[in-house]
Amino acid sequence: YAYKNGGDFHGNYAVYDLGGGTFDVSIIRVDGQEVDVLATNGVSKLGGDDFDRTLVELVQAKYQDQTGVALDPEDFTTNDAEDEKKSLSKRKSVLIRVNKKIVEITKEEFEEAISTLVTQAELLCESAIEEAGLDAKNIKSVLLAGGSTRIPLVRESIERVFGQKPLDSANVDEVVALGAALYAAYKGDRSQLSAAQTAAIDNINVTESTSRCFGTLAIIHNEERDERALGNTILIHKGDKIPASVTETFYTSYDGQEAVLCRLTESTAPETDPKFVKIVWEGELKLPSDRPAGQEIQITYSYNANQMMKCSFVDVATSKKVEIDLSMTQTSSEK
Protein backbone atom coordinates (compact mmCIF):
# COMPACT_ATOMS: atom_id res chain seq x y z
CA TYR A 1 0.00 0.00 0.00
CA ALA A 2 2.75 2.46 0.92
CA TYR A 3 4.65 1.64 -2.26
CA LYS A 4 1.60 1.96 -4.53
CA ASN A 5 0.72 5.31 -3.00
CA GLY A 6 4.14 6.72 -3.82
CA GLY A 7 5.19 7.07 -0.19
CA ASP A 8 2.21 9.26 0.65
CA PHE A 9 1.54 7.43 3.95
CA HIS A 10 2.35 9.08 7.26
CA GLY A 11 1.07 7.95 10.67
CA ASN A 12 -0.21 4.84 12.42
CA TYR A 13 -1.98 2.19 10.36
CA ALA A 14 -3.50 -1.25 10.93
CA VAL A 15 -2.93 -4.10 8.48
CA TYR A 16 -5.87 -6.54 8.62
CA ASP A 17 -5.01 -9.75 6.79
CA LEU A 18 -7.71 -12.41 6.60
CA GLY A 19 -6.98 -15.04 3.99
CA GLY A 20 -7.94 -18.63 3.39
CA GLY A 21 -6.38 -20.19 6.46
CA THR A 22 -4.87 -17.60 8.80
CA PHE A 23 -5.60 -14.22 10.35
CA ASP A 24 -2.98 -11.59 11.16
CA VAL A 25 -3.22 -8.01 12.30
CA SER A 26 -0.31 -5.60 12.61
CA ILE A 27 -0.17 -2.05 13.92
CA ILE A 28 2.49 -0.14 12.02
CA ARG A 29 3.92 3.36 11.90
CA VAL A 30 4.59 4.56 8.36
CA ASP A 31 6.58 7.55 7.18
CA GLY A 32 6.58 7.50 3.39
CA GLN A 33 8.00 4.07 2.60
CA GLU A 34 9.61 3.57 6.01
CA VAL A 35 7.60 1.01 7.97
CA ASP A 36 7.98 0.38 11.70
CA VAL A 37 6.01 -2.59 13.08
CA LEU A 38 4.67 -1.60 16.51
CA ALA A 39 2.66 -4.73 17.36
CA THR A 40 1.39 -7.85 15.69
CA ASN A 41 -1.14 -10.53 16.57
CA GLY A 42 -2.87 -13.41 14.88
CA VAL A 43 -4.03 -17.00 14.84
CA SER A 44 -2.93 -19.78 12.51
CA LYS A 45 -6.38 -21.35 12.07
CA LEU A 46 -8.86 -18.65 11.19
CA GLY A 47 -9.89 -17.71 7.69
CA GLY A 48 -11.96 -18.42 4.62
CA ASP A 49 -11.59 -22.19 5.00
CA ASP A 50 -13.33 -21.97 8.37
CA PHE A 51 -16.16 -19.94 6.85
CA ASP A 52 -16.51 -22.55 4.09
CA ARG A 53 -16.74 -25.40 6.61
CA THR A 54 -19.32 -23.46 8.60
CA LEU A 55 -21.46 -23.05 5.49
CA VAL A 56 -21.13 -26.77 4.73
CA GLU A 57 -22.42 -27.54 8.24
CA LEU A 58 -25.38 -25.19 7.72
CA VAL A 59 -26.32 -26.91 4.47
CA GLN A 60 -25.90 -30.37 6.03
CA ALA A 61 -28.16 -29.45 8.96
CA LYS A 62 -30.89 -27.97 6.72
CA TYR A 63 -30.75 -30.92 4.32
CA GLN A 64 -31.17 -33.39 7.17
CA ASP A 65 -34.09 -31.38 8.57
CA GLN A 66 -35.81 -31.55 5.17
CA THR A 67 -35.11 -35.19 4.31
CA GLY A 68 -34.31 -36.93 7.59
CA VAL A 69 -31.16 -38.25 5.92
CA ALA A 70 -27.55 -37.18 6.53
CA LEU A 71 -25.95 -35.43 3.56
CA ASP A 72 -23.01 -37.23 1.95
CA PRO A 73 -19.97 -34.89 2.26
CA GLU A 74 -19.25 -35.43 -1.43
CA ASP A 75 -22.62 -33.94 -2.39
CA PHE A 76 -21.74 -30.49 -1.04
CA THR A 77 -18.03 -29.84 -0.55
CA THR A 78 -16.05 -26.90 0.82
CA ASN A 79 -15.32 -25.92 -2.80
CA ASP A 80 -19.08 -25.69 -3.40
CA ALA A 81 -19.42 -23.71 -0.19
CA GLU A 82 -16.76 -21.22 -1.28
CA ASP A 83 -18.80 -20.29 -4.37
CA GLU A 84 -21.98 -19.84 -2.33
CA LYS A 85 -20.08 -17.84 0.31
CA LYS A 86 -19.02 -15.36 -2.37
CA SER A 87 -22.64 -15.05 -3.50
CA LEU A 88 -23.74 -14.31 0.08
CA SER A 89 -21.40 -11.33 0.11
CA LYS A 90 -23.61 -9.77 -2.56
CA ARG A 91 -27.06 -11.26 -1.97
CA LYS A 92 -29.46 -11.70 0.94
CA SER A 93 -29.86 -15.44 0.33
CA VAL A 94 -28.80 -18.30 -1.94
CA LEU A 95 -30.72 -21.35 -3.18
CA ILE A 96 -28.51 -24.41 -3.25
CA ARG A 97 -29.54 -27.52 -5.19
CA VAL A 98 -28.45 -30.70 -3.39
CA ASN A 99 -29.66 -34.12 -4.60
CA LYS A 100 -32.80 -32.69 -6.21
CA LYS A 101 -33.56 -30.72 -3.06
CA ILE A 102 -33.35 -26.95 -2.70
CA VAL A 103 -31.69 -25.64 0.45
CA GLU A 104 -31.97 -21.92 1.17
CA ILE A 105 -29.27 -20.21 3.21
CA THR A 106 -29.76 -16.56 4.13
CA LYS A 107 -27.02 -14.04 4.64
CA GLU A 108 -28.28 -13.54 8.20
CA GLU A 109 -27.96 -17.27 8.98
CA PHE A 110 -24.45 -17.43 7.56
CA GLU A 111 -23.31 -14.34 9.44
CA GLU A 112 -24.70 -15.64 12.71
CA ALA A 113 -22.85 -18.93 12.19
CA ILE A 114 -19.47 -17.25 11.58
CA SER A 115 -19.93 -14.50 14.18
CA THR A 116 -17.77 -16.23 16.82
CA LEU A 117 -14.87 -16.47 14.35
CA VAL A 118 -15.17 -12.79 13.43
CA THR A 119 -15.35 -11.86 17.12
CA GLN A 120 -12.10 -13.77 17.68
CA ALA A 121 -10.45 -11.55 15.08
CA GLU A 122 -11.90 -8.46 16.78
CA LEU A 123 -10.33 -9.41 20.10
CA LEU A 124 -6.94 -9.89 18.45
CA CYS A 125 -7.23 -6.44 16.84
CA GLU A 126 -8.05 -4.82 20.17
CA SER A 127 -5.10 -6.61 21.79
CA ALA A 128 -2.71 -5.44 19.05
CA ILE A 129 -3.86 -1.82 19.41
CA GLU A 130 -3.29 -2.01 23.17
CA GLU A 131 0.15 -3.61 22.76
CA ALA A 132 1.12 -0.79 20.40
CA GLY A 133 0.26 1.70 23.15
CA LEU A 134 -2.44 3.33 21.03
CA ASP A 135 -6.20 3.84 20.90
CA ALA A 136 -8.34 3.05 17.86
CA LYS A 137 -8.69 6.80 17.27
CA ASN A 138 -4.90 6.96 16.75
CA ILE A 139 -5.14 4.63 13.72
CA LYS A 140 -5.17 6.69 10.55
CA SER A 141 -6.42 3.91 8.27
CA VAL A 142 -6.97 0.15 8.11
CA LEU A 143 -5.28 -1.61 5.17
CA LEU A 144 -6.88 -4.84 3.95
CA ALA A 145 -5.33 -8.05 2.65
CA GLY A 146 -6.86 -11.43 1.86
CA GLY A 147 -10.00 -12.37 -0.03
CA SER A 148 -12.01 -13.06 3.12
CA THR A 149 -11.98 -9.32 3.92
CA ARG A 150 -14.69 -8.98 1.25
CA ILE A 151 -17.26 -10.59 3.56
CA PRO A 152 -19.66 -7.80 4.69
CA LEU A 153 -19.69 -8.98 8.32
CA VAL A 154 -15.90 -8.72 8.39
CA ARG A 155 -16.05 -5.17 7.04
CA GLU A 156 -18.64 -4.27 9.69
CA SER A 157 -16.41 -5.78 12.37
CA ILE A 158 -13.44 -3.70 11.23
CA GLU A 159 -15.54 -0.53 11.35
CA ARG A 160 -16.73 -1.47 14.83
CA VAL A 161 -13.18 -1.98 16.20
CA PHE A 162 -11.41 0.88 14.43
CA GLY A 163 -14.29 3.34 14.06
CA GLN A 164 -13.73 3.80 10.32
CA LYS A 165 -14.18 2.12 6.95
CA PRO A 166 -11.10 0.15 5.81
CA LEU A 167 -8.98 1.11 2.81
CA ASP A 168 -8.84 -1.39 -0.06
CA SER A 169 -7.25 0.57 -2.87
CA ALA A 170 -5.05 -2.45 -3.65
CA ASN A 171 -6.30 -5.83 -4.86
CA VAL A 172 -6.75 -7.75 -1.59
CA ASP A 173 -6.08 -11.07 -3.36
CA GLU A 174 -2.70 -9.90 -4.68
CA VAL A 175 -1.45 -7.45 -2.09
CA VAL A 176 0.41 -10.02 0.06
CA ALA A 177 2.20 -11.53 -2.93
CA LEU A 178 3.16 -8.10 -4.26
CA GLY A 179 4.35 -7.02 -0.82
CA ALA A 180 6.35 -10.22 -0.46
CA ALA A 181 8.05 -9.54 -3.78
CA LEU A 182 9.03 -6.05 -2.62
CA TYR A 183 10.20 -7.43 0.73
CA ALA A 184 12.31 -10.12 -0.99
CA ALA A 185 14.00 -7.45 -3.07
CA TYR A 186 14.51 -5.30 0.03
CA LYS A 187 16.01 -8.15 2.07
CA GLY A 188 17.86 -9.98 -0.70
CA ASP A 189 21.09 -9.54 -2.65
CA ARG A 190 20.63 -6.24 -4.46
CA SER A 191 23.51 -6.98 -6.79
CA GLN A 192 21.10 -9.32 -8.59
CA LEU A 193 18.62 -6.49 -9.28
CA SER A 194 18.45 -4.26 -12.32
CA ALA A 195 19.01 -0.52 -11.97
CA ALA A 196 15.26 0.09 -12.25
CA GLN A 197 14.50 -2.53 -9.58
CA THR A 198 17.14 -1.10 -7.24
CA ALA A 199 15.76 2.41 -7.67
CA ALA A 200 12.24 1.12 -6.91
CA ILE A 201 13.19 -0.16 -3.45
CA ASP A 202 15.84 2.40 -2.47
CA ASN A 203 13.38 4.33 -0.31
CA ILE A 204 11.87 1.29 1.43
CA ASN A 205 12.84 0.73 5.05
CA VAL A 206 11.15 -1.84 7.29
CA THR A 207 11.75 -2.11 11.03
CA GLU A 208 10.36 -5.37 12.41
CA SER A 209 9.43 -6.53 15.89
CA THR A 210 8.98 -9.86 17.62
CA SER A 211 5.48 -11.35 17.70
CA ARG A 212 6.00 -13.47 20.85
CA CYS A 213 7.80 -13.54 24.19
CA PHE A 214 10.82 -15.79 24.66
CA GLY A 215 12.08 -16.79 28.09
CA THR A 216 13.49 -19.55 30.24
CA LEU A 217 12.44 -21.54 33.29
CA ALA A 218 14.40 -20.96 36.50
CA ILE A 219 13.93 -21.03 40.26
CA ILE A 220 12.55 -17.62 41.28
CA HIS A 221 12.13 -16.15 44.75
CA ASN A 222 8.55 -15.06 45.37
CA GLU A 223 8.88 -12.12 47.77
CA GLU A 224 5.18 -12.04 48.68
CA ARG A 225 5.13 -15.68 49.74
CA ASP A 226 8.81 -15.74 50.76
CA GLU A 227 9.36 -18.97 48.86
CA ARG A 228 11.32 -20.28 45.90
CA ALA A 229 9.52 -21.90 42.99
CA LEU A 230 9.96 -22.60 39.29
CA GLY A 231 8.95 -19.61 37.18
CA ASN A 232 9.23 -18.26 33.67
CA THR A 233 11.57 -15.32 33.09
CA ILE A 234 11.13 -13.33 29.85
CA LEU A 235 14.34 -12.33 28.06
CA ILE A 236 12.95 -11.10 24.74
CA HIS A 237 9.54 -9.46 24.97
CA LYS A 238 6.80 -9.36 22.38
CA GLY A 239 7.21 -6.15 20.40
CA ASP A 240 11.00 -5.87 20.87
CA LYS A 241 12.71 -4.55 17.75
CA ILE A 242 14.51 -7.07 15.55
CA PRO A 243 17.42 -7.79 15.66
CA ALA A 244 17.33 -8.22 19.43
CA SER A 245 19.97 -9.64 21.76
CA VAL A 246 19.64 -10.01 25.54
CA THR A 247 21.95 -11.53 28.15
CA GLU A 248 20.82 -12.25 31.71
CA THR A 249 22.61 -13.89 34.62
CA PHE A 250 21.12 -16.71 36.66
CA TYR A 251 22.66 -18.75 39.49
CA THR A 252 22.90 -22.41 40.45
CA SER A 253 20.40 -23.41 43.14
CA TYR A 254 22.22 -25.73 45.50
CA ASP A 255 25.65 -27.01 46.57
CA GLY A 256 27.10 -29.70 44.33
CA GLN A 257 24.74 -29.00 41.43
CA GLU A 258 26.13 -30.91 38.45
CA ALA A 259 23.80 -29.79 35.65
CA VAL A 260 21.45 -27.03 34.56
CA LEU A 261 18.32 -27.86 32.60
CA CYS A 262 18.28 -25.33 29.76
CA ARG A 263 14.84 -24.48 28.42
CA LEU A 264 13.65 -21.96 25.84
CA THR A 265 10.03 -20.92 26.36
CA GLU A 266 7.58 -19.14 24.09
CA SER A 267 4.35 -17.32 24.92
CA THR A 268 2.05 -14.72 23.42
CA ALA A 269 2.08 -12.71 26.66
CA PRO A 270 4.72 -12.11 29.37
CA GLU A 271 3.69 -15.14 31.43
CA THR A 272 5.54 -16.04 34.63
CA ASP A 273 3.62 -19.25 35.34
CA PRO A 274 5.27 -22.26 33.61
CA LYS A 275 1.82 -23.76 32.97
CA PHE A 276 1.02 -21.03 30.46
CA VAL A 277 4.16 -21.18 28.29
CA LYS A 278 5.34 -23.54 25.58
CA ILE A 279 8.77 -25.16 25.91
CA VAL A 280 10.25 -24.83 22.41
CA TRP A 281 13.56 -26.55 23.21
CA GLU A 282 15.36 -28.04 26.17
CA GLY A 283 18.86 -29.36 26.77
CA GLU A 284 21.37 -29.84 29.57
CA LEU A 285 24.51 -27.95 30.58
CA LYS A 286 26.87 -30.20 32.55
CA LEU A 287 28.66 -28.56 35.50
CA PRO A 288 31.73 -29.48 37.58
CA SER A 289 30.91 -31.22 40.86
CA ASP A 290 31.61 -30.02 44.41
CA ARG A 291 30.87 -26.33 43.87
CA PRO A 292 28.78 -24.18 46.20
CA ALA A 293 25.42 -22.78 45.17
CA GLY A 294 25.28 -19.38 43.46
CA GLN A 295 27.53 -20.09 40.46
CA GLU A 296 26.84 -17.72 37.55
CA ILE A 297 25.04 -19.05 34.48
CA GLN A 298 24.74 -16.51 31.63
CA ILE A 299 21.89 -16.95 29.18
CA THR A 300 21.91 -15.07 25.87
CA TYR A 301 19.09 -14.95 23.34
CA SER A 302 19.72 -13.34 19.95
CA TYR A 303 16.86 -12.98 17.47
CA ASN A 304 17.82 -11.81 13.98
CA ALA A 305 16.06 -10.39 10.95
CA ASN A 306 15.92 -13.84 9.35
CA GLN A 307 13.64 -14.98 12.19
CA MET A 308 16.35 -17.19 13.66
CA MET A 309 16.88 -17.49 17.41
CA LYS A 310 20.37 -18.23 18.73
CA CYS A 311 20.56 -19.24 22.40
CA SER A 312 23.59 -19.86 24.59
CA PHE A 313 23.77 -21.11 28.18
CA VAL A 314 27.23 -20.49 29.68
CA ASP A 315 28.81 -21.56 32.96
CA VAL A 316 30.85 -18.39 33.63
CA ALA A 317 33.50 -20.01 35.84
CA THR A 318 34.49 -22.68 33.31
CA SER A 319 33.24 -21.09 30.04
CA LYS A 320 31.51 -24.39 29.31
CA LYS A 321 28.39 -23.78 27.25
CA VAL A 322 25.45 -25.15 25.29
CA GLU A 323 24.36 -23.34 22.11
CA ILE A 324 21.30 -23.84 19.97
CA ASP A 325 19.95 -22.29 16.75
CA LEU A 326 16.18 -22.32 16.23
CA SER A 327 14.14 -21.30 13.22
CA MET A 328 10.56 -20.05 13.39
CA THR A 329 9.50 -23.57 12.36
CA GLN A 330 11.21 -24.78 15.55
CA THR A 331 13.79 -26.87 13.78
CA SER A 332 17.11 -26.83 15.58
CA SER A 333 20.63 -28.15 15.49
CA GLU A 334 22.70 -28.38 18.65
CA LYS A 335 26.34 -27.38 18.47
Side-chain angles (χ1 to χ4, degrees):
Y1 277 95
Y3 181 80
K4 280 179 66 67
N5 282 271
D8 193 26
F9 275 20
H10 301 276
N12 301 315
Y13 295 81
V15 179
Y16 188 104
D17 181 3
L18 183 62
T22 62
F23 171 70
D24 296 283
V25 58
S26 293
I27 307 301
I28 60 177
R29 180 171 292 124
V30 185
D31 185 10
Q33 293 186 50
E34 291 193 14
V35 181
D36 185 8
V37 181
L38 303 179
T40 186
N41 225 326
V43 59
S44 60
K45 292 184 179 180
L46 173 61
D49 295 343
D50 299 283
F51 300 148
D52 296 340
R53 283 190 288 270
T54 300
L55 186 51
V56 167
E57 291 168 3
L58 273 176
V59 172
Q60 289 174 338
K62 284 206 166 187
Y63 181 85
Q64 188 159 3
D65 286 344
Q66 286 185 27
T67 65
V69 178
L71 179 64
D72 188 321
E74 294 299 318
D75 290 335
F76 188 77
T77 67
T78 53
N79 288 334
D80 298 323
E82 183 178 10
D83 293 335
E84 302 299 343
K85 176 187 68 178
K86 292 176 181 177
S87 296
L88 284 169
S89 291
K90 302 173 184 176
R91 299 162 58 185
K92 292 184 177 181
S93 67
V94 291
L95 298 176
I96 303 169
R97 180 178 291 277
V98 184
N99 294 341
K100 299 182 180 180
K101 295 290 183 182
I102 299 296
V103 176
E104 182 181 17
I105 302 292
T106 67
K107 177 183 176 183
E108 184 179 355
E109 289 172 329
F110 175 62
E111 289 185 340
E112 182 179 353
I114 66 172
S115 61
T116 55
L117 296 170
V118 176
T119 299
Q120 186 179 358
E122 281 188 20
L123 295 173
L124 290 168
C125 289
E126 291 169 353
S127 177
I129 294 170
E130 183 178 349
E131 289 169 11
L134 301 173
D135 294 320
K137 64 183 179 182
N138 303 131
I139 305 299
K140 193 169 184 179
S141 188
V142 182
L143 314 179
L144 298 184
S148 296
T149 59
R150 291 192 175 94
I151 296 175
L153 184 66
V154 171
R155 296 288 180 106
E156 293 168 13
S157 167
I158 293 169
E159 290 184 40
R160 188 160 51 246
V161 173
F162 294 97
Q164 59 180 293
K165 291 183 180 295
L167 177 69
D168 59 356
S169 58
N171 185 325
V172 293
D173 293 312
E174 300 174 351
V175 66
V176 171
L178 294 172
L182 284 168
Y183 185 74
Y186 168 73
K187 297 288 287 186
D189 182 2
R190 299 195 184 186
S191 67
Q192 303 299 313
L193 303 180
S194 67
Q197 291 170 330
T198 300
I201 63 168
D202 270 346
N203 294 325
I204 296 177
N205 183 33
V206 180
T207 303
E208 299 170 85
S209 63
T210 57
S211 60
R212 284 162 287 177
C213 297
F214 298 96
T216 193
L217 299 183
I219 301 298
I220 299 173
H221 180 244
N222 187 316
E223 294 183 357
E224 291 183 3
R225 298 180 182 178
D226 193 24
E227 62 181 17
R228 289 158 58 83
L230 188 67
N232 185 57
T233 299
I234 304 297
L235 276 76
I236 293 180
H237 289 76
K238 182 178 180 179
D240 284 353
K241 300 304 177 187
I242 300 174
S245 185
V246 177
T247 298
E248 288 200 15
T249 301
F250 295 79
Y251 300 90
T252 56
S253 300
Y254 53 88
D255 295 343
Q257 185 172 339
E258 296 185 354
V260 169
L261 187 56
C262 309
R263 287 168 287 196
L264 170 65
T265 65
E266 174 187 290
S267 56
T268 56
E271 304 285 356
T272 57
D273 191 331
K275 292 185 291 186
F276 299 114
V277 301
K278 178 180 180 180
I279 297 176
V280 177
W281 173 86
E282 64 181 2
E284 189 175 64
L285 173 62
K286 296 288 188 181
L287 303 175
S289 57
D290 301 327
R291 297 195 304 179
Q295 301 295 311
E296 291 187 33
I297 306 295
Q298 278 193 350
I299 300 179
T300 300
Y301 289 177
S302 298
Y303 193 37
N304 67 26
N306 294 321
Q307 312 261 332
M308 293 291 295
M309 174 75 81
K310 184 179 182 66
C311 306
S312 68
F313 300 79
V314 182
D315 176 34
V316 175
T318 64
S319 297
K320 191 173 182 178
K321 63 184 175 181
V322 170
E323 290 184 317
I324 193 78
D325 290 337
L326 294 167
S327 71
M328 293 302 291
T329 56
Q330 299 177 1
T331 56
S332 61
S333 59
E334 188 170 358
K335 298 179 180 178

